[in-house]
Amino acid sequence: DGGITQSPKYLFRKEGQNVTLSCEQNLNHDAMYWYRQDPGQGLRLIYYSQIVNDFQKGDIAEGYSVSREKKESFPLTVTSAQKNPTAFYLCASSFGTGTEAFFGQGTRLTVV
Amino acid sequence: GENVEQHPSTLSVQEGDSAVIKCTYSDSASNYFPWYKQELGKGPQLIIDIRSNVGEKKDQRIAVTLNKTAKHFSLHITETQPEDSAVYFCAAPVGYSTLTFGKGTMLLVSP
């Protein structure tokens, strides 16, 4: 089945640690996105990539990093510089602006 | 950049009633307006979208209307059912690369 897969579903991190969230798609989409969701805040864009080996910062990129070495994969690293990392993280992909964006099931990150 | 305002933030209706959620956007060049439904603990899913060359689009109990002059678009759900209970997001394009989302509307349909 074609789709977009995020893993893990739940992730716990100690303060000061970096963690990497996985996002894989087999939809042959060129564009991939990372959003952060907090209660009452909607979806805020962290990073996006329109093509392999290229990515741009979104509205809240500080404390995060990404890579796009393969078309299918767009991992997000939450670094220790992110002061409030506890949130629900959503990955999405699409053929580009003006086309349907498909979302993964999300990763809930909790700092303990 | 694009600014998307969504109202109301919560909406409670009785089963069988209609529900309307409204969004306004700021970029007059925007031409694609999707609506997403998000169930608890899951990722959002597209339920309907509209492009700027049409004013209304329907899909069974769901419809979206667009007023480009006023820069607003609305989601209409008729004959609501308990399974319609979810958070709904509108969105509009930012330039040629991403979408900006509204803050969401929590719809509660009571039996």
Side-chain angles (χ1 to χ4, degrees), chain A residues 6-26:
Chain A
Q6 290 186 242
S7 62
K9 189 175 174 103
Y10 299 97
L11 187 57
F12 296 89
R13 188 194 94 170
K14 292 183 179 179
E15 285 190 17
Q17 285 183 337
N18 293 353
V19 289
T20 297
L21 283 58
S22 171
C23 179
E24 303 276 334
Q25 55 97 3
N26 60 4

Side-chain angles (χ1 to χ4, degrees), chain B residues 4 8 10 26 29 33 62 64 67 77 83 98 100 104:
Chain B
V4 177
T10 59
S26 59
F33 306 92
I62 294 173
V64 56
N67 183 327
I77 306 175
E83 51 265 39
T98 66
T100 291

Side-chain angles (χ1 to χ4, degrees), chain A residues 7-68:
Chain A
S7 62
K9 189 175 174 103
Y10 299 97
L11 187 57
F12 296 89
R13 188 194 94 170
K14 292 183 179 179
E15 285 190 17
Q17 285 183 337
N18 293 353
V19 289
T20 297
L21 283 58
S22 171
C23 179
E24 303 276 334
Q25 55 97 3
N26 60 4
L27 300 167
N28 200 32
H29 286 163
D30 295 307
M32 297 188 74
Y33 315 85
W34 274 105
Y35 290 92
R36 171 179 171 144
Q37 187 173 27
D38 297 284
Q41 293 292 321
L43 304 175
R44 292 185 291 170
L45 183 65
I46 304 172
Y47 268 97
Y48 65 99
S49 169
Q50 294 179 284
I51 196 169
V52 174
N53 292 323
D54 188 48
F55 49 83
Q56 283 77 41
K57 293 181 179 179
D59 300 320
I60 55 165
E62 185 175 352
Y64 301 97
S65 65
V66 294
S67 63
R68 187 85 188 275

Side-chain angles (χ1 to χ4, degrees), chain A residues 9 33 35 37 40-43 45 48 50 88 90 97-106, chain B residues 32 36 38 41-46 49 51 89 93-99 101-104:
Chain A
K9 189 175 174 103
Y33 315 85
Y35 290 92
Q37 187 173 27
Q41 293 292 321
L43 304 175
L45 183 65
Y48 65 99
Q50 294 179 284
F88 190 52
L90 286 160
T97 303
T99 66
E100 179 178 356
F102 290 79
F103 283 83
Q105 292 299 292
Chain B
Y32 173 68
Y36 286 82
Q38 184 179 26
K42 296 185 178 180
Q45 282 193 304
L46 182 75
D49 57 17
R51 299 185 185 276
F89 292 97
V94 179
Y96 298 100
S97 51
T98 66
L99 290 171
F101 287 82
K103 292 191 174 182

Side-chain angles (χ1 to χ4, degrees), chain B residues 8 10-15 17-19 80 105-110:
Chain B
T10 59
L11 179 59
S12 294
V13 300
Q14 292 289 321
E15 183 177 0
D17 289 349
S18 295
T80 53
T105 297
M106 179 177 290
L107 174 64
L108 301 171
V109 181
S110 303

Side-chain angles (χ1 to χ4, degrees), chain B residues 2-111:
Chain B
E2 180 74 273
N3 184 37
V4 177
E5 299 284 338
Q6 182 172 347
H7 299 281
S9 56
T10 59
L11 179 59
S12 294
V13 300
Q14 292 289 321
E15 183 177 0
D17 289 349
S18 295
V20 180
I21 303 170
K22 298 181 179 182
C23 286
T24 60
Y25 61 97
S26 59
D27 186 354
S28 57
S30 294
N31 57 7
Y32 173 68
F33 306 92
W35 285 91
Y36 286 82
K37 175 183 180 182
Q38 184 179 26
E39 298 179 345
L40 191 62
K42 296 185 178 180
Q45 282 193 304
L46 182 75
I47 54 172
I48 195 167
D49 57 17
I50 191 168
R51 299 185 185 276
S52 59
N53 57 341
V54 296
E56 183 176 6
K57 182 177 178 180
K58 289 183 179 179
D59 183 3
Q60 300 182 349
R61 298 186 296 108
I62 294 173
V64 56
T65 59
L66 171 65
N67 183 327
K68 284 219 72 180
T69 302
K71 291 191 283 188
H72 66 71
F73 56 111
S74 300
L75 178 70
H76 304 253
I77 306 175
T78 59
E79 300 172 25
T80 53
Q81 301 167 4
E83 51 265 39
D84 294 329
S85 296
V87 179
Y88 292 82
F89 292 97
C90 63
V94 179
Y96 298 100
S97 51
T98 66
L99 290 171
T100 291
F101 287 82
K103 292 191 174 182
T105 297
M106 179 177 290
L107 174 64
L108 301 171
V109 181
S110 303

